Amino acid sequence: MVRLDAGTCLTGYRLRPGTTLDLAEFEIADRDVSNLDTEIEALTRHDQEISEIIDALCLPGNSVHRLARQQGVSERTLQRRFRHLSLPTPAFWRQLGRARRAVQALPCRVPLAEIAAHYGYSDQAHMTREFVRWFGWTPVQLHRNPAAIADLAQPGLGNWSLEIGLEIAGLT
């Protein structure tokens, strides 16, 4: 919980994964922030290769091991590259991608156990724990909240550059 003084205004910026910004390069407190967007854009560095790896980690069937091999490096070296950019591990992005794909299947009339199995969870309870971990809601709670599902399907919540289609027959 963050407590703010009355009249305090916050502005948030969402950067694409693989983008870094050295906040030490400018002081934000007590200054005109009208050009802050431009300054942030000028001070960001984007690692296109890492961004593409993140996108690939979210696709069904990809693994950290496979993508590291495709890059010609070990899993550990790939993890170090992510850490160097202050990004969560490759496994984080893979798990988040799987959870987001599974959320998009919730509006369909398919049993939760089938969705869990299709998206690689060991069982429905495993999927439920992961949903609570990632999103703070159980699959049933999300199913009852179409607005939350729509929010989670939006690009930019981590790693989505394209919409991911549903793979289970009949879930479209």
Side-chain angles (χ1 to χ4, degrees), residues 22-140:
D22 185 1
L23 291 175
E25 294 192 31
F26 59 93
E27 180 67 35
I28 296 175
D30 300 323
R31 64 171 276 203
D32 176 24
V33 293
S34 60
N35 293 327
L36 194 54
D37 291 351
T38 306
E39 289 181 47
I40 287 174
E41 190 170 335
L43 294 172
T44 59
R45 290 172 301 159
H46 183 72
D47 188 320
Q48 185 63 34
E49 187 176 10
I50 290 292
S51 183
E52 290 170 5
I53 291 169
I54 290 170
D55 287 343
L57 284 166
C58 298
L59 298 175
N62 274 341
S63 69
V64 176
H65 178 74
R66 176 186 294 166
L67 289 168
R69 251 189 16 237
Q70 287 175 351
Q71 295 296 312
V73 298
S74 69
E75 287 182 57
R76 185 67 184 116
T77 297
L78 190 58
Q79 290 169 350
R80 283 189 204 104
R81 288 182 62 199
F82 275 70
R83 187 178 66 223
H84 177 74
L85 293 171
S86 299
L87 290 171
T89 66
F92 168 96
W93 297 106
R94 186 176 165 280
Q95 293 167 1
L96 177 60
R98 173 176 70 169
R100 291 195 62 203
R101 286 192 313 275
V103 163
Q104 292 176 23
L106 292 178
C108 305
R109 297 184 186 268
V110 173
L112 290 176
E114 188 176 328
I115 293 172
H118 180 77
Y119 288 98
Y121 294 101
S122 57
D123 56 25
Q124 182 178 336
H126 178 207
M127 183 176 76
T128 297
R129 285 189 305 274
E130 288 296 300
F131 275 33
V132 170
R133 175 181 158 222
W134 286 110
F135 313 123
W137 292 311
T138 67
V140 170

Side-chain angles (χ1 to χ4, degrees), residues 14 100 103-104 135 137 142 145-158 160:
R14 183 181 302 163
R100 291 195 62 203
V103 163
Q104 292 176 23
F135 313 123
W137 292 311
L142 282 166
N145 189 345
I149 292 173
D151 286 344
L152 292 171
Q154 293 298 310
L157 288 180
W160 248 242

